[in-house]
Amino acid sequence: VKKNLRQTIMKSSTDIESHVTMPLTLEAHHLAQKFYRQHPKANIAKRVYLNTLAIYAVHTYLKALGIESQLAAGDSWNRSLQALSDTADLVVSGKGKLECRPLLPNEDALLIPPEVQNNRIGYVAVHLDSSLREATLLGFVMATHTESIPIEKLLPLEKLLMSLSETPVKIGNWLTGIFDDEWQAISELWLAKSLTWQFRNTTMGIEPVIRYRVVTIEQVNHHPTLALIVGIAPTQTRERDIWIRVCSTTEYTYLPVNLEVKILDSAGTAVMQAQARETEAIQLKFGGQPLEKFSVQMLLGDHSQIETFVI
Amino acid sequence: VGNADEHSVSFYQSHEVRDLALQGLFIYICEHIHLYSPERATVLAWANFLLSKRFFNEASREFMHTAPKGISPDFKRLSIDDLNDEISDESFSQSPSSNHAEIRQLLQSDPENIFQITHVRNSKEASFQAIALSRLEERSWQELSEELGVKVSTLSGFYQTCLDRFKPIFEKHLNS
């Protein structure tokens, strides 16, 4: 047995840069079988079994890296939704939902069912061996509207981890004058001019605190840079008014066509969204309580950029 | 541990213990990599030391502990072949609490009077109720799209939003 172990360690340490292999423990199978037995239709039962293992593997992996995720919070842990939707979602605390898609030994593409193509921060490809003893995390893609993604197009997991381990921007602190360096005061006159009236209608007539940062959305041929502008103002209650505005960094420029901006709550559910046609800016306004988390997701084609905030 | 195969712990069980031990080891290494001192041993020797001196014992204890409690000792994992074989094996799905029938019943009875009236804009036939019932019967998105004359992405996006919105209704009526 010891010799075996040593080989396993050596094997995994050589692969460690590209892929990560996680054991599928008895506990994982036990959970999977509990769900499995609730579904009389063989295809659905099998799908639920494999999805559960994939989710479990990603959950364990994130846990090892100190990233908290909540198994039971997802649709995939609800027996009705398991039957109604091919979902393998995993709620990553304060970030949103990761979709953990199982790949079987003979499959060489990540398949994304139409019913889970929205409201995900990413799709992780989880390869399962035929004995279902091991799961290998192959990589991931961000938001997508494609049903099938070849393995060689997957992005390395490190990129996902980087975005998941980013700490949320504490905009509640802005009201007391504390800012992170990357969030700048609006300096360009034209940006400021359009904002002074856009963000004005606060309940108390207090000027909101406004900061922005530049966001680049990676595209094949071009990399449009956008300004993500965030405003926050107190109200008469504990609630804060919050403005989110996305516009181009150059004056008189439309946003990229089909750019989508979504506000996600802490469970990763889109609570507001807007899409650019021939638009110079997208603006959303909402309210939130101190310590509440939300994310702003900007999607264009297969790429997405997400920024998480805590009020 | 080295003699596990010959003694009370079966090979099958030792495999489980090994998986548990490795999982514990990986998590430990991730969290405590700063405790590694290169002048004392190679990484591999350190990892093997931790494994044999600590995680194997912990995992054995955990396995012996959880096996009788939460997981029955004759619990068996399924492999992909097992999952495919089960398709013809009616006996396995031990009268599965008729989850499927309950969901269909809930969709049809529409107790909160919302499943039928919620539909894709300008397409009354494409109601949440109709889509959900079709999905439950495993009809493909393509087929549905042709039948209802609505694009797959429109249908599936609408459906996903509805599931989010109606999740509490399912939880309330089917205590999942």
Side-chain angles (χ1 to χ4, degrees), chain A residues 95 116-121 123 143-145 228 244 246 258-265 268-276 282-284 286 294-301 304-309, chain B residues 157 160-161 164:
Chain A
K95 294 289 172 182
V116 297
Q117 287 180 11
N118 292 306
N119 282 354
R120 296 292 186 269
I121 47 177
Y123 299 81
T144 181
H145 293 293
L228 171 61
I244 301 294
V246 178
N258 292 331
L259 173 79
E260 275 182 86
V261 178
K262 294 183 179 180
I263 308 295
L264 312 177
D265 65 13
T269 305
V271 287
M272 296 176 99
Q273 58 190 82
Q275 189 166 21
I282 288 177
Q283 185 171 316
L284 299 163
F286 52 96
F294 69 92
S295 306
V296 177
Q297 188 180 26
M298 288 153 281
L299 297 102
L300 187 60
S304 128
Q305 183 89 27
I306 196 157
E307 189 82 55
T308 304
F309 301 88
Chain B
Q160 195 181 356
T161 313
D164 254 356

Side-chain angles (χ1 to χ4, degrees), chain A residues 206-220:
Chain A
I206 294 176
E207 288 287 326
V209 179
I210 302 170
R211 293 261 150 165
Y212 85 107
R213 66 168 289 190
V214 174
V215 176
T216 307
I217 298 202
E218 284 174 43
Q219 292 283 283
V220 185

Side-chain angles (χ1 to χ4, degrees), chain B residues 23-89:
Chain B
Q23 185 170 301
L25 173 71
F26 291 150
I27 292 177
Y28 181 88
I29 291 180
C30 290
E31 286 173 353
H32 298 91
I33 190 67
H34 57 280
L35 297 181
Y36 169 70
S37 40
E39 61 277 8
R40 288 174 60 189
T42 63
V43 177
L44 206 57
W46 181 58
N48 276 322
F49 173 80
L50 284 170
L51 195 60
S52 56
K53 294 286 175 229
R54 173 168 175 181
F55 290 99
F56 235 102
N57 295 336
E58 277 185 13
S60 314
R61 229 174 290 131
E62 194 182 335
F63 181 75
M64 293 307 168
H65 184 65
T66 55
K69 198 180 64 182
I71 305 176
S72 127
D74 25 277
F75 173 82
K76 196 176 149 291
R77 297 155 189 264
L78 299 182
S79 67
I80 290 178
D81 286 343
D82 295 332
L83 287 173
N84 291 333
D85 292 346
E86 297 288 354
I87 287 178
S88 52
D89 185 4

Side-chain angles (χ1 to χ4, degrees), chain A residues 2-41:
Chain A
K2 265 187 187 161
K3 195 175 153 224
N4 264 342
L5 287 170
R6 212 159 283 145
Q7 281 166 352
T8 311
I9 291 181
M10 279 160 62
K11 191 173 128 239
S12 40
S13 61
T14 52
D15 298 343
I16 214 143
E17 277 168 317
S18 45
H19 298 154
V20 186
T21 299
M22 305 298 298
L24 293 168
T25 56
L26 269 186
E27 193 196 359
H29 278 267
H30 193 250
L31 272 166
Q33 265 183 52
K34 196 181 90 189
F35 292 145
Y36 177 81
R37 286 170 185 269
Q38 292 176 335
H39 298 282
K41 290 214 156 199

